[in-house]
Amino acid sequence: MKTLKIYNTLIARIECDYTDFTKGAEEYANELEEMLAHDDTDLAEYADSYHGNSYYKKLHEVRISAEWYNGRIYGVAKCKVDDDWTEQDTAELKEYLTGQYADGIGESLEQREVARWTEYEEEYDEYENEPYETETTFCAYISFWQSEGYRIMTEQELKG
């Protein structure tokens, strides 16, 4: 048996009272790593022939975590696979993981808040002729799949 790592891009989705926006996930890396450390889901249990004929028979364990590489945080699936694992198996596994990130575990993880904070801003009410403070609460969520810019790659493809 050997270990295979499959990396994917991450983004942070920020929600607040009046808008949503995305940004790099690096700012929330510690919170993400802590959240994933407490998740013991083994995705190998759910793999089947939908994404290929053989990969799931050789797949023994898939645990999701995060790793830094070259100043960026990536999602990483740490997979325990049979020694006779092939490139075709890797292609099928990538399809399976992409589906999991888009609709399965990725959707579940994306709904878990990793950070919350409140920002205050002083404004001026010209009618009342006095300053007042506004409060905006922000929540950060990490997306393992993105409609634009999503990449899923082997360790060799990432580190080239």
Side-chain angles (χ1 to χ4, degrees), residues 6-7 90 94 151-160:
I6 304 291
Y7 293 82
T90 299
K94 285 177 170 181
R151 289 185 53 216
I152 188 164
M153 61 220 113
T154 64
E155 189 168 18
Q156 182 179 2
E157 290 168 334
L158 174 66
K159 298 179 180 180

Side-chain angles (χ1 to χ4, degrees), residues 2 11-12 20 24 44 53 60 98 130-131 135 140 142 148 159:
K2 62 184 179 180
I11 60 167
D20 294 354
N53 295 325
H60 298 280
T98 296
E130 61 184 36
E135 174 181 301
I142 302 296
E148 294 180 24
K159 298 179 180 180

